[in-house]
Amino acid sequence: MRSDAIKKGSKSAPHRSLLNALGLTKEEMDRPLIGIVSSQNDIVPGHMNLDKIVEAVKIGVAMAGGTPIVFPAIAVCDGIAMGHQGMKYSLVTRELIADSTEAMAMAHAFDALVMVPNCDKNVPGLLMAAARINIPTIFVSGGPMLAGKVDGCKTSLSSMFEAVGAFNAGKITEEKLEEFENKACPTCGSCSGMYTANSMNCLTEVLGMALQGNGTIPAVYSERIKLAKHTGMKIMELLEKDIRPRDIMTEDAFKNALTMDMALGCSTNSMLHLPAIAHEAGVELNIDLANEISSKTPNLCHLAPAGNTYIEDLHEAGGIYAVMNEINKLGLLKTDLITCTGKTIAENIKGCYNKNTEVIRPVDNPYSETGGIAVLRGNLAPDSCVVKRSAVAPEMLKHEGPARVFDCEEDALDAINSGKIVAGDVVVIRYEGPKGGPGMREMLNPTSAIIGRGLGSSVALITDGRFSGATRGAAIGHVSPEAAVGGNIALVEEGDIIQIDITANTINFLVSDEELERRRANWKPREPKITTGYLSRYAELVTSGNRGAVLEIPKR
């Protein structure tokens, strides 16, 4: 066992003295040491309950003959960080989480790991760490929040942000806004729609790194405590069989994840996270695969914000395994892959059927014949950009309009809220990419303001930043190359006509090559917005959105 390095022989006597200081008995030291990575904190609603999940995991590990030892991982609440300086610190925590977990796991010679995340960057950050460290590892999250209710209808965080837009437009009263405020997020857990946190928790099941139900069992259900205990027991089996993350997260597993991403209609942030996780697993995942897979993968789910169903409804309908079984009727999944259950995908999903065809559409009656995410290219985004096609109004799948150009999120939001953006416009927000932000902020406030003002079916938004999973509408992000490195989005001028064709996967602005070259000759790089601290170092090392915004040491 790896932990023998700190437990066996006379040379390890100093280490054992420190383990004694922890109160560990000889019997506990003789067992495998299982690190439990807890993302619990008291500021993130999705993480406030993780102490209970961790305790259940510890019980499961001990029941199966291991010694559980907890250490922490940080977490940012994207909703609380949204719309101010805090959002610059969201995506960048993914790398901090991966790095700090690697440091703790390697420094203390754990034999195996149980990851207990829940929200947007913790799940991918810990998946990156799992692939990098490559010792037996399994995931169990804190689970999704239950949907709120306003006027008898289910609601969620995306409805809350859109309510602000409706209030600013004079469409609802202050009393109604306060009602949304008090009812939109009624329990602990990751926000209740198919936003980024739940997208990644669901895809963790698909990848084979978590047990059935991890993505969908609500946070407040006792069933999740049982899942955590079973996860603690299962890690001991993975350790015994020496099944490691890179055995599970293969190229075919990532293709399965992209397929299910399309079927479920996941957050566009998955197009950042899956390539980053694959990179750590030694797999190069070109996001161009997304369109190839999308072309043959029907979209079966319209969970919020795309529709009026929520993760709790998906759970009752049979969960992720039911969607996998449904999509596999078309033979689109590689099912002979090993998973953390110790069984193959085929064995896992056998008998998992669709219990509600309104929540999970059958493959012969999908929401659309193609998948929920599209990758676009054109002279505005030569290296690609991404849109959640399943959350776009049909009339906006093709759109042409004048560019309204802003160099930061705040300026665009002011223009939207003051009524300066009108039907037909294409809002362009730039210098918000991984380097330019820095940190690639989410643009939920501007998109929600557009929806709240009733412009969701007539205004598009394009950015080199990114979007919350709660965003809906013609919101096109991850434009690469970004403005800060001289990408063509930096050359767009007020009034340029922009053509968007999501069905054809194209995005262009109608400017001649000669005019583009003239503008490029006049363009000058901007001074960095932040020159000290972690964000400054991050900006120096981060790659573009189309590469997953991974960190890379510059070539010398």
Side-chain angles (χ1 to χ4, degrees):
M1 290 188 293
R2 292 178 78 251
S3 62
D4 286 350
I6 61 171
K7 296 189 308 187
K8 300 293 185 182
S10 59
K11 67 177 178 58
S12 295
H15 308 84
R16 289 195 299 273
S17 71
L18 293 167
L19 296 176
N20 277 315
L22 294 173
L24 294 183
T25 66
K26 183 180 184 304
E27 291 81 1
E28 287 175 304
M29 290 187 215
D30 287 341
R31 297 176 175 182
L33 301 185
I34 310 300
I36 302 175
V37 186
S38 171
S39 304
Q40 195 276 334
N41 63 45
D42 292 339
I43 188 61
V44 184
H47 292 206
M48 63 184 285
N49 64 318
L50 293 189
D51 54 343
K52 294 178 175 58
I53 304 298
V54 166
E55 285 304 311
V57 171
K58 289 172 67 176
I59 291 169
V61 168
M63 287 170 63
T67 298
I69 300 176
V70 180
F71 64 89
I74 63 168
V76 163
C77 176
D78 278 22
I80 294 174
M82 194 72 65
H84 60 94
Q85 187 81 350
M87 181 45 68
K88 292 180 184 290
Y89 287 88
S90 172
L91 179 62
V92 305
T93 64
R94 189 185 68 182
E95 272 57 39
L96 286 174
I97 291 161
D99 291 350
S100 61
T101 301
E102 173 195 3
M104 289 293 288
M106 300 305 291
H108 300 103
F110 287 108
D111 296 302
L113 298 170
V114 181
M115 307 294 200
V116 188
N118 209 28
C119 288
D120 296 37
K121 309 310 167 304
N122 287 83
V123 182
L126 290 178
L127 282 166
M128 289 166 66
R132 190 187 300 174
I133 301 163
N134 201 35
I135 61 176
T137 304
I138 192 169
F139 279 66
V140 57
S141 77
M145 184 184 291
L146 293 179
K149 278 194 176 179
V150 175
D151 298 329
C153 298
K154 287 184 178 180
T155 189
S156 63
L157 184 65
S158 56
S159 306
M160 180 69 252
F161 275 90
E162 290 170 16
V164 174
F167 172 74
N168 288 334
K171 295 189 173 187
I172 64 172
T173 64
E174 187 172 355
E175 289 73 22
K176 179 58 69 175
L177 180 65
E178 186 175 357
E179 183 180 359
F180 271 99
E181 181 181 329
N182 289 325
K183 294 182 177 179
C185 300
T187 72
C188 62
S190 48
C191 295
S192 55
M194 188 56 84
Y195 311 145
T196 306
N198 290 327
S199 293
M200 295 310 302
N201 278 324
C202 290
L203 293 179
T204 302
E205 275 192 65
V206 178
L207 284 168
M209 290 295 293
L211 299 181
Q212 182 181 6
N214 182 63
T216 60
I217 299 171
V220 295
Y221 283 15
S222 297
E223 187 180 353
R224 184 156 288 276
I225 300 297
K226 294 179 183 179
L227 177 70
K229 290 176 181 176
H230 284 131
T231 300
M233 290 185 269
K234 183 61 68 173
I235 191 59
M236 300 307 295
E237 180 184 329
L238 294 177
L239 178 60
E240 180 183 357
K241 295 180 178 179
D242 196 28
I243 298 175
R244 301 178 182 225
R246 291 195 182 195
D247 300 325
I248 296 170
M249 291 194 286
T250 62
E251 183 176 354
D252 284 332
F254 284 105
K255 289 179 179 178
N256 281 349
L258 278 175
T259 298
M260 288 300 296
D261 192 321
M262 298 300 165
L264 290 164
C266 292
S267 163
T268 52
N269 280 316
S270 62
M271 292 294 101
L272 284 174
H273 298 323
L274 287 175
I277 299 161
H279 179 73
E280 295 290 353
V283 174
E284 289 306 313
L285 189 67
N286 190 322
I287 65 167
D288 283 337
L289 274 174
N291 285 342
E292 178 186 332
I293 289 172
S294 176
S295 68
K296 55 190 176 185
T297 306
N299 177 227
L300 305 185
C301 298
H302 262 195
L303 299 156
N308 297 316
T309 53
Y310 295 81
I311 299 294
E312 63 196 66
D313 301 311
L314 180 58
H315 180 63
E316 296 302 324
I320 300 306
Y321 280 13
V323 186
M324 293 177 76
N325 208 9
E326 186 68 38
I327 209 73
N328 199 48
K329 291 176 182 178
L330 301 175
L332 296 178
L333 297 178
K334 184 79 170 175
T335 60
D336 61 350
L337 309 180
I338 194 66
T339 71
C340 70
T341 66
K343 300 177 181 179
T344 64
I345 289 172
E347 291 173 302
N348 287 345
I349 67 176
K350 184 178 180 181
C352 297
Y353 62 93
N354 183 357
K355 301 175 185 178
N356 187 334
T357 56
E358 294 301 312
V359 178
I360 306 170
R361 289 277 188 92
V363 291
D364 57 4
N365 181 34
Y367 282 101
S368 66
E369 296 291 339
T370 53
I373 289 178
V375 176
L376 315 183
R377 268 195 171 84
N379 70 350
L380 202 152
D383 288 347
S384 78
C385 55
V386 177
V387 62
K388 188 171 183 176
R389 173 166 39 197
S390 60
V392 177
E395 56 268 39
M396 289 298 290
L397 292 172
K398 289 186 179 182
H399 181 75
E400 181 174 312
R404 305 299 307 280
V405 183
F406 305 93
D407 288 350
C408 67
E409 175 191 3
E410 289 82 0
D411 289 350
L413 188 60
D414 287 345
I416 296 165
N417 286 333
S418 61
K420 295 177 181 177
I421 301 302
V422 299
D425 284 347
V426 179
V427 176
V428 177
I429 306 177
R430 62 193 181 188
Y431 295 100
E432 290 284 9
K435 285 184 180 293
M440 204 178 187
R441 288 196 288 180
E442 290 182 343
M443 302 293 152
L444 181 56
N445 279 337
T447 56
S448 296
I450 288 169
I451 297 291
R453 297 185 75 87
L455 297 172
S457 59
S458 60
V459 169
L461 191 151
I462 299 169
T463 182
D464 53 7
R466 60 194 180 93
F467 295 108
S468 166
T471 289
R472 61 188 174 109
I476 300 167
H478 310 188
V479 170
S480 301
E482 62 175 292
V485 298
N488 283 356
I489 190 172
L491 309 181
V492 178
E493 293 183 357
E494 186 82 7
D496 284 347
I497 299 301
I498 294 179
Q499 285 184 338
I500 301 163
D501 190 340
I502 295 172
T503 57
N505 302 315
T506 61
I507 183 167
N508 291 287
F509 61 125
L510 304 185
V511 174
S512 69
D513 291 343
E514 293 76 16
E515 174 62 13
L516 271 183
E517 287 308 310
R518 185 191 68 79
R519 293 182 188 182
R520 186 175 304 285
N522 293 327
W523 178 82
K524 294 180 180 178
R526 302 204 168 188
E527 289 297 317
K529 295 177 184 176
I530 295 174
T531 57
T532 60
Y534 177 55
L535 285 180
S536 176
R537 297 195 301 275
Y538 179 88
E540 285 290 321
L541 300 177
V542 70
T543 60
S544 64
N546 69 303
R547 295 184 57 196
V550 298
L551 300 188
E552 189 174 77
I553 297 172
K555 293 180 180 177
R556 304 207 181 268

